[in-house]
Amino acid sequence: RGTQNVRVELEGQWVEFDYLINNCDALLAQAAIAGQLAFANKYKKAVKANIRNGGKKFHYPPVSGKYKAFKLKHGGGSKTLNWSNTMADSVDTKNLGVGKVGVGIEKGLKRPFYDGESARGNRLQVHEYANVLEHGAFPVPPRPVFSDTFKSEQVGGLAGLKESIEFTIIKKFGSRGIPVNKI
């Protein structure tokens, strides 16, 4: 008797909760991709800067005097890692699909010919040259600018990537009115 006037009233953020339940996976995926992209852009910028300054902060061994003279004679710069800015200019971010973003040098890019270089020269592509520098090849010692930059305080390595993704998740959910407290 008298039940026709009874009603249920929900207290709390039920609209936000319903939105969260129905959209959590999509929000997390979007935020994770956006966080990776933000980190990748920061990493790309740092790699380019470290290539341009010859990896100064990593104290790589300098190029030999003979090679330095050769570079200068043929229009190259005197810094380690840097002949003409081609390698630094070639570093870019790329969407790898499936929610992944990468930073590197695309295969197939050719470096420009330097002054006096014969047609037989210019055999290495930019990514191959970068690989030789990263891992070394006799007599060139390794100068791992990509991995050293990743691990450096400039970008923070895996911890920096995690922090970037976490920050983006917090920001994404916060923009939808869903507070996130990091535990």
Side-chain angles (χ1 to χ4, degrees):
R1 286 177 110 159
T3 58
Q4 63 269 28
N5 292 329
V6 174
R7 61 176 209 209
V8 175
E9 188 174 309
L10 301 174
E11 291 184 23
Q13 297 176 309
W14 287 101
V15 172
E16 290 86 355
F17 181 74
D18 182 56
Y19 179 83
L20 177 63
I21 294 300
N22 291 320
N23 297 294
C24 186
D25 55 345
L27 283 174
L28 281 173
Q30 290 170 359
I33 291 168
Q36 283 183 62
L37 187 58
F39 179 84
N41 287 328
K42 180 180 178 181
Y43 176 51
K44 175 181 81 171
K45 184 178 176 182
V47 167
K48 285 182 172 218
N50 287 331
I51 290 171
R52 285 196 172 98
N53 71 27
K56 186 169 62 174
K57 73 181 298 144
F58 305 123
H59 307 290
Y60 296 136
V63 295
S64 70
K66 185 177 175 182
Y67 184 58
K68 185 176 181 179
F70 175 82
K71 284 174 69 174
L72 291 172
K73 179 180 175 187
H74 295 289
S78 62
K79 291 180 185 167
T80 304
L81 302 174
N82 200 349
W83 183 294
S84 65
N85 285 329
T86 299
M87 189 167 82
D89 292 341
S90 299
V91 176
D92 205 0
T93 56
K94 184 172 182 169
N95 183 346
L96 303 174
V98 197
K100 294 180 184 174
V101 179
V103 175
I105 298 173
E106 199 166 324
K107 290 182 179 180
L109 297 175
K110 299 247 184 206
R111 66 172 175 77
F113 284 94
Y114 56 76
D115 295 338
E117 183 177 21
S118 72
R120 290 188 38 190
N122 203 6
R123 288 175 266 175
L124 287 181
Q125 295 176 7
V126 179
H127 79 278
E128 293 170 324
Y129 181 68
N131 195 39
V132 168
L133 288 173
E134 191 76 13
H135 301 288
F138 185 77
V140 179
R143 294 176 174 106
V145 70
F146 281 88
S147 59
D148 285 348
T149 301
F150 182 79
K151 294 180 226 171
S152 74
E153 74 283 347
Q154 287 173 297
V155 294
L158 290 176
L161 175 58
K162 178 183 173 190
E163 184 178 294
S164 178
I165 292 171
E166 286 175 346
F167 176 74
T168 310
I169 289 171
I170 291 168
K171 201 164 110 179
K172 184 78 162 173
F173 278 74
S175 71
R176 303 283 195 224
I178 305 164
V180 176
N181 297 320
K182 188 175 172 186
I183 298 174

